[in-house]
Amino acid sequence: MNSMPVTDAPITTTTPIADGPIRVPAAVKGSLSRRMILIAAVWIAVLLSGGGFALDRVLRQAVTRNFDDQLEYVLRSLLNSSEIGPEGEVIFSREAVADQRFLEPYSGLYYQVSAKGQDDLLSRSLWDRKLAFGSPHDDRTAHFYDSMQFQDEKLRIVERDAVIPGSKVHWRFQVAQSRDGLDAQITTLRRTLVRSFALLALGLIVMAALQTFYGLWPLRRVREEIARMRAGQSNRVSSAMPVEVAPMVEELNALIEHNERQAEEARRHAGNLAHALKTPLTVIMNAATAQSDDLADTVIREARTMRRQVDHHLARARAVGRRGSAHSRADVWPSLESVERAVGRLYRHVRIDVTGPRGLQVHVERQDLDEMLGNLIENAAKYGGGSVFVTVGAQSGFVEFLVEDDGVGIPEEERVRIFDRGVRLDTGKPGTGLGLAIVRDVAEIYEGTVSLEESEDLGGLLVRLRLPAAN
């Protein structure tokens, strides 16, 4: 029986590709709304906690001070109505102890007058208890303190030492009151503060959330406008935006315009390249069809033309892609020396002189600068009489290159047309007529200019190239 061979080849599957563009989700790191609300909530909590603690302390001290003032008032009343009895004891007038709580056992309000070696005068409310005398001290003013000497009752005590007329003994007057009422007031006050501040914090956080939602609403509008642009319903963010968001929208519109301009340039140059290659291809096809004797020479000549066209458009595409970089810069003098050496090897009979400051820089990629200078200096060497003079200088934010030769020059009426692709005034020398066109296109991409004039010193052509300075 024959068996089928088993292989270890991997099984491949295909995944259908969606018709529309694939949307790659952006990297997300947190939420602006949540971050702003969290910061506001933490700050509100810190402020209200600090403010609540300070307010609680102030109000607690105020309530305690009011409680102490009442105790001190009772103490002064006892002092003012006290006198020495026949046996040297302290007695009060009836008005001094008129408060009914002094007569009710364990009422929560007590007084005591005591001295060492003397019988204590106690309020009836103390019943079978006594207030602690405490350590000896000379209280010329009222002294307040809390005491837990009664197991089931926390007391607030005010005491003062005094000498009553008719007695040489220092008597200690003490008035004590249960802290239950004071603590109940403080508890009620704190509960009210906590609830009020909690409600205030909640209101402030809700307000911060609403403020964040309303404040970030323009960003949602920007997102909607971008979605409309992606859907082809508009090509710009045209809605009015707040002053804080408007600069971002302006930069976004500028970026869109920049991309559209680049896309349009790409389309235009793709069409130009196709048009430029069509003629050489037609010539080669006709020569091949007719089986011309010079077919090889025709192919070489037209291929050289096509390669020059491709190089031109590649140079322009390269410059277009680089001009968005703010860091593009090149040293002028090394580029000039490199081009001078290269052209000098090709045209050994030509003398090339270069002058100017050595520290200049331009906002151009080095490869593009070499391309422009190479075309200008090579043209001057090719069509001149043997002398080329290059002058470099800085002027009004630009670096200016003057390339002069001692040739026959270019008539003024031809100086505009010579920049067109393929235009050559001297057809006796090899070339494609693309050198000046490349220089003009690349210079304009970097917001520079190039113009043709007559050289006053050498009598030939003077090419003035201006590029934005980087220093």
Side-chain angles (χ1 to χ4, degrees):
M1 181 177 62
N2 295 331
S3 60
M4 296 294 294
V6 180
T7 63
D8 294 332
I11 299 175
T12 59
T13 59
T14 58
T15 303
I17 301 176
D19 294 337
I22 300 175
R23 297 185 60 182
V24 179
V28 177
K29 185 178 181 181
S31 166
L32 284 179
S33 300
R34 190 160 52 246
R35 189 177 304 174
M36 295 172 66
I37 295 173
L38 179 61
I39 292 174
V42 172
W43 187 239
I44 289 170
V46 170
L47 290 181
L48 291 184
S49 297
F53 176 78
L55 185 58
D56 171 75
R57 185 173 181 181
V58 169
L59 293 179
R60 186 178 72 249
Q61 290 177 350
V63 172
T64 303
R65 190 181 304 114
N66 182 62
F67 189 84
D68 291 345
D69 289 343
Q70 296 177 15
L71 286 180
E72 188 176 11
Y73 174 77
V74 175
L75 179 65
R76 287 199 305 267
S77 299
L78 294 179
L79 283 170
N80 292 335
S81 61
S82 62
E83 56 186 33
I84 301 299
E87 298 180 1
E89 78 280 10
V90 176
I91 59 175
F92 295 129
S93 64
R94 188 172 184 83
E95 292 79 5
V97 293
D99 195 319
Q100 185 66 26
R101 290 178 294 174
F102 284 130
L103 303 177
E104 297 176 0
Y106 310 136
S107 64
L109 181 62
Y110 318 101
Y111 70 81
Q112 178 177 304
V113 181
S114 54
K116 288 186 177 181
Q118 302 292 329
D119 293 334
D120 297 333
L121 177 61
L122 308 174
S123 66
R124 189 175 181 181
S125 57
L126 283 171
W127 197 247
D128 57 349
R129 298 182 298 189
K130 290 178 62 175
L131 296 175
F133 186 81
S135 60
H137 56 281
D138 188 11
D139 283 335
R140 298 301 180 183
T141 59
H143 175 58
F144 299 90
Y145 62 93
D146 295 323
S147 174
M148 289 294 296
Q149 56 189 276
F150 295 166
Q151 184 175 1
D152 57 347
E153 191 174 24
K154 186 177 181 180
L155 300 177
R156 181 72 175 170
I157 300 175
V158 57
E159 62 183 28
R160 180 180 174 185
D161 292 347
V163 177
I164 301 174
S167 174
K168 296 181 180 180
V169 178
H170 283 268
W171 296 91
R172 176 163 295 180
F173 288 78
Q174 294 175 296
V175 177
Q177 187 172 352
S178 173
R179 281 190 59 99
D180 291 344
L182 176 61
D183 292 339
Q185 292 183 32
I186 294 176
T187 300
T188 301
L189 179 64
R190 284 178 173 170
R191 186 183 300 116
T192 303
L193 278 177
V194 170
R195 290 176 178 175
S196 300
F197 275 60
L199 184 61
L200 178 60
L202 179 61
L204 290 175
I205 292 174
V206 171
M207 184 189 69
L210 293 176
Q211 184 179 8
T212 300
F213 182 80
Y214 180 74
L216 295 180
W217 184 255
L219 297 181
R220 296 181 177 86
R221 290 173 55 195
V222 172
R223 177 184 176 184
E224 293 173 356
E225 291 287 335
I226 294 175
R228 293 180 67 248
M229 287 190 293
R230 190 168 60 85
Q233 300 174 0
S234 65
N235 58 356
R236 293 292 186 278
V237 179
S238 56
S239 300
M241 295 293 172
V243 68
E244 294 82 6
V245 183
M248 181 187 71
V249 173
E250 292 175 1
E251 291 297 329
L252 177 61
N253 286 336
L255 176 62
I256 294 171
E257 183 178 356
H258 172 76
N259 290 338
E260 289 180 349
R261 189 164 58 249
Q262 283 192 327
E264 180 61 29
E265 288 178 354
R267 286 191 295 268
R268 184 172 66 252
H269 287 288
N272 291 341
L273 178 60
H275 180 74
L277 296 180
K278 185 182 298 184
T279 299
L281 288 174
T282 302
V283 172
I284 292 175
M285 185 174 294
N286 291 339
T289 303
Q291 297 181 354
S292 301
D293 296 336
D294 60 346
L295 177 60
D297 296 336
T298 302
V299 171
I300 293 174
R301 184 183 67 251
E302 298 302 326
R304 186 181 295 114
T305 300
M306 289 189 291
R307 185 177 63 182
R308 189 64 173 170
Q309 292 281 0
V310 171
D311 290 342
H312 162 62
H313 287 280
L314 284 179
R316 182 177 177 89
R318 193 167 53 241
V320 169
R322 289 170 179 161
R323 71 176 172 186
S325 174
H327 304 289
S328 299
R329 60 177 58 218
D331 294 317
V332 169
W333 202 259
S335 181
L336 279 172
E337 291 179 336
S338 175
V339 171
E340 179 188 2
R341 287 193 299 268
V343 175
R345 284 194 294 266
L346 292 175
Y347 303 92
R348 298 186 181 277
H349 66 285
V350 177
R351 176 182 175 181
I352 303 175
D353 297 313
V354 182
T355 184
R358 292 178 173 265
L360 297 178
Q361 291 182 327
V362 290
H363 267 310
V364 178
E365 285 288 335
R366 170 66 186 270
Q367 188 173 355
D368 295 327
L369 181 62
D370 291 348
E371 180 84 17
M372 289 184 284
L373 294 178
N375 276 301
L376 294 181
I377 296 176
E378 183 183 358
N379 281 347
K382 181 190 298 184
Y383 298 108
S387 296
V388 176
F389 197 76
V390 181
T391 307
V392 187
Q395 185 179 19
S396 303
F398 286 84
V399 174
E400 191 172 69
F401 301 84
L402 302 180
V403 182
E404 304 175 72
D405 63 60
D406 58 348
V408 297
I410 297 178
E412 185 175 357
E413 62 273 10
E414 300 288 342
R415 291 175 186 170
V416 176
R417 190 175 68 88
I418 196 64
F419 282 106
D420 294 338
R421 286 185 297 275
V423 175
R424 300 170 56 207
L425 300 182
D426 186 359
T427 57
K429 295 182 179 181
T432 58
L434 291 173
L436 289 178
I438 292 175
V439 174
R440 180 199 60 188
D441 291 346
V442 176
E444 289 178 351
I445 288 172
Y446 286 105
E447 298 181 356
T449 60
V450 60
S451 60
L452 304 181
E453 303 173 16
E454 183 179 351
S455 173
E456 297 180 358
D457 297 331
L458 301 182
L461 181 66
L462 183 149
V463 182
R464 187 184 302 271
L465 174 65
R466 285 168 56 90
L467 298 174
N471 52 355

